[in-house]
Amino acid sequence: MSGLPGSDDRARYPCWVVNPWDSQYLDVRDYQWREVAVPFWKDINARARDADVKVCIEMHPHNIVYNPGTMERLATEISATHVGAEMDPSHLFWQGIDPVAAIRHLGDLVYHAAAKDTRINEQNCRVYGVLDDRFARIPADENPVGLGGKNTLTRWPADSSWDFGAVGRGHDQDFWAGFLTALAAVDPEMAVNIEHEDQELDQIEGLRLAAENLKAAAATAGV
């Protein structure tokens, strides 16, 4: 992921600016990009070029690169040669982004892909929206997943606006066939890794279902 700077050089916590309707948020965003993200990723691009490897950024909310526009901005501002996108559609779905359109827009900037679905729960979404913040702390005696330092994974809302799912449990085979077709148009040899985060299925069942649906979509797409 691209990381997320704080609001200024004295900040203790990251700051995600998603709707800079007030100019102070533009000031924050300018600092994050100009002073932190661009210098950092210019260095990463140079290191990757020297090592002859490619670095793939997942467009993930709570990061400075979270959609095709910010991915394209980063690539442009660092004159990227070895930094591009890891195309995970699951984080684009709930933002209202069409992953196939995103692939076509980014083109050769897409280096790698993940197969993970998202189900939009329309009834809940109509009330809480996609920026639903009803997450809660998981008590220490329930062994929450550690995320580094004192940070832990939080508890998802029971009646969530959206959920991650195995391939096919949010979008049908036609979507996934179109997704694979769009990827193949960029690079016929591109790897597509299954990512399992479906809380309703165990690891084996989730991977099996995703693999079956992805292979069926590949057959439909002829790729």
Side-chain angles (χ1 to χ4, degrees), residues 42-199:
K42 276 186 175 179
D43 180 60
I44 295 296
N45 185 69
R47 291 170 183 263
R49 184 176 60 245
D50 290 345
D52 193 27
V53 297
K54 289 185 175 180
V55 177
C56 306
I57 294 178
E58 182 174 357
M59 294 175 284
H60 195 298
H62 293 120
N63 282 267
I64 199 162
V65 171
Y66 60 93
N67 62 14
T70 49
M71 182 69 247
E72 196 170 39
R73 176 179 178 177
L74 183 72
T76 298
E77 295 200 16
I78 68 172
S79 300
T81 56
H82 287 67
V83 172
E86 188 264 5
M87 178 57 66
D88 181 343
S90 67
H91 301 290
L92 302 184
F93 285 134
W94 69 262
Q95 296 182 69
I97 297 168
D98 177 354
V100 173
I103 295 167
R104 291 172 179 161
H105 180 79
L106 291 172
D108 290 343
L109 270 178
V110 180
Y111 291 171
H112 185 70
K116 188 176 76 175
D117 214 335
T118 297
R119 180 179 64 251
I120 305 297
N121 302 318
E122 295 289 351
Q123 183 173 349
N124 299 331
C125 195
R126 283 195 291 270
V127 176
Y128 299 108
V130 296
L131 297 181
D132 184 2
D133 72 342
R134 295 170 301 129
F135 291 73
R137 298 181 190 278
I138 298 175
D141 60 5
E142 294 183 26
N143 299 314
V145 175
L147 297 175
K150 64 180 181 180
N151 296 326
T152 61
L153 197 64
T154 54
R155 176 168 286 133
W156 207 267
D159 55 341
S160 57
S161 292
W162 53 272
D163 296 292
F164 294 129
V167 171
R169 281 171 52 85
H171 294 77
D172 63 17
Q173 183 175 307
D174 285 344
F175 165 79
W176 287 100
F179 180 76
L180 294 175
T181 298
L183 292 174
V186 176
D187 177 2
E189 302 300 320
M190 186 179 300
V192 181
N193 289 344
I194 293 172
E195 185 176 349
H196 174 68
E197 287 188 42
D198 193 320
Q199 298 185 62

Side-chain angles (χ1 to χ4, degrees), residues 165-167 169 194-213:
V167 171
R169 281 171 52 85
I194 293 172
E195 185 176 349
H196 174 68
E197 287 188 42
D198 193 320
Q199 298 185 62
E200 296 179 353
L201 304 174
D202 67 28
Q203 291 96 327
I204 300 301
E205 184 182 13
L207 288 171
R208 177 190 59 77
L209 180 64
E212 289 176 353
N213 288 334

Side-chain angles (χ1 to χ4, degrees), residues 21-41:
W21 62 271
D22 181 328
S23 63
Q24 67 180 325
Y25 297 113
L26 290 176
D27 294 339
V28 169
R29 197 173 64 178
D30 286 346
Y31 164 78
Q32 292 176 316
W33 279 91
R34 295 174 184 171
E35 304 300 324
V36 184
V38 170
F40 177 87
W41 282 102

